[in-house]
Amino acid sequence: MNYLAPFLAVAIGYVIARLFQKKGIRQMPIILAFSGSFLLSVTLFHLLPEVFTIPSKEIGLYIMSGILLQIILDFFSKGAEHGHVHLHSDTGSFPWLLFISLSIHALLEGFPLANNQSMLIGVIIHKIPIAIILALFFNKANYHKVTIIIFLLLFGLMTPLGSLLSTELELLREYETPINAVAIGVFLHVSTTILFESSKDHKFNLAKLLSIILGVVVAYFV
Ligand SMILES: [Zn+2]
Ligand SMILES: [Zn+2]
């Protein structure tokens, strides 16, 4: 289940994007705000306490490197991990930079899921809207359908691959805590960016606020 679910999340995102590709999805900012608040909350409630069983400055350093890593990945993905895609796609060729940076991100996401059911749900909720946005963008940019499917298929496999590596490789299991701390940094960067960018105009939006609060409450109990 831990392997299949993150892959299915991408597949579900693709199907939703196909269904709504003409009309678009007007509620996307609200869905994104919920997913961001949910991901941030499960990270704070269910993953952060695990790496800090012993207070340590070193763990903080690993978390910080996760944030820095995501900042660097952002230069290449232009924000696709948190909900918007900008690509100069006049060539229509395979978007390698976007693919590689998204894959590194998704691979890392897989590590803490192997033994953490709450994080698994958090990442699924985070992946569905991201997959929708990617698929909608590719469709609009007139990518070939096969290219889109190959991209999303490989992208969808990265998180299960991360989980698999973390359980199967003895060496990685030894470094479970530092790797999870790096993943925390990645989650913190992505989820807070989603939240900040979902209120770009700083206008009060009750629906958005409620969806953020709902994300916190649900994450507390999963
Ligand atoms: Zn952005
Ligand atoms: Zn992600």
Side-chain angles (χ1 to χ4, degrees):
M1 191 59 198
N2 288 33
Y3 297 125
L4 194 63
F7 180 78
L8 284 181
V10 175
I12 290 168
Y14 175 74
V15 172
I16 294 175
R18 298 247 37 180
L19 292 175
F20 288 91
Q21 65 179 312
K22 290 219 179 66
K23 282 194 288 178
I25 305 172
R26 264 193 342 150
Q27 291 83 8
M28 213 57 215
I30 289 172
I31 297 169
L32 268 175
F34 173 80
S35 76
S37 127
F38 189 77
L39 183 65
L40 177 60
S41 304
V42 284
T43 305
L44 294 180
F45 301 151
H46 303 284
L47 192 57
L48 197 61
E50 263 181 34
V51 296
F52 274 115
T53 43
I54 306 161
S56 113
K57 201 171 171 180
E58 211 188 319
I59 295 296
L61 200 59
Y62 284 119
I63 297 178
M64 198 60 227
S65 25
I67 294 176
L68 285 173
L69 172 68
Q70 189 57 51
I71 289 173
I72 293 166
L73 292 178
D74 247 32
F75 292 138
F76 302 105
S77 64
K78 311 285 177 211
E81 295 92 341
H82 59 257
H84 48 91
V85 199
H86 320 271
L87 266 189
H88 298 288
S89 55
D90 26 323
T91 58
S93 58
F94 196 81
W96 279 108
L97 276 181
L98 175 69
F99 177 73
I100 292 168
S101 55
L102 272 178
S103 294
I104 296 171
H105 166 88
L107 191 75
L108 252 171
E109 272 178 348
F111 284 93
L113 308 190
N115 305 309
N116 194 322
Q117 218 57 28
S118 311
M119 271 332 292
L120 176 69
I121 301 170
V123 166
I124 292 166
I125 299 289
H126 153 65
K127 261 188 197 304
I128 295 173
I130 300 300
I132 296 175
I133 288 162
L134 278 172
L136 282 176
F137 168 81
F138 287 147
N139 273 324
K140 228 172 109 192
N142 278 323
Y143 275 91
H144 199 282
K145 210 189 264 171
V146 178
T147 310
I148 301 173
I149 289 176
I150 290 175
F151 187 107
L152 291 176
L153 195 73
L154 294 176
F155 168 63
L157 287 173
M158 288 302 158
T159 299
L161 181 65
S163 307
L164 188 73
L165 291 177
S166 78
T167 45
E168 295 305 318
L169 289 184
E170 192 91 29
L171 181 77
L172 288 179
R173 235 180 305 151
E174 256 172 65
Y175 293 100
E176 192 189 351
T177 303
I179 294 175
N180 282 356
V182 173
I184 288 174
V186 168
F187 288 138
L188 287 180
H189 178 285
V190 170
S191 59
T192 50
T193 309
I194 292 172
L195 286 181
F196 288 135
E197 290 189 357
S198 76
S199 62
K200 237 176 208 157
D201 43 5
H202 298 280
K203 257 193 229 130
F204 181 72
N205 182 327
L206 184 64
K208 225 173 258 176
L209 181 66
L210 289 177
S211 72
I212 291 171
I213 294 171
L214 184 68
V216 178
V217 173
V218 178
Y220 188 86
F221 292 104
V222 293

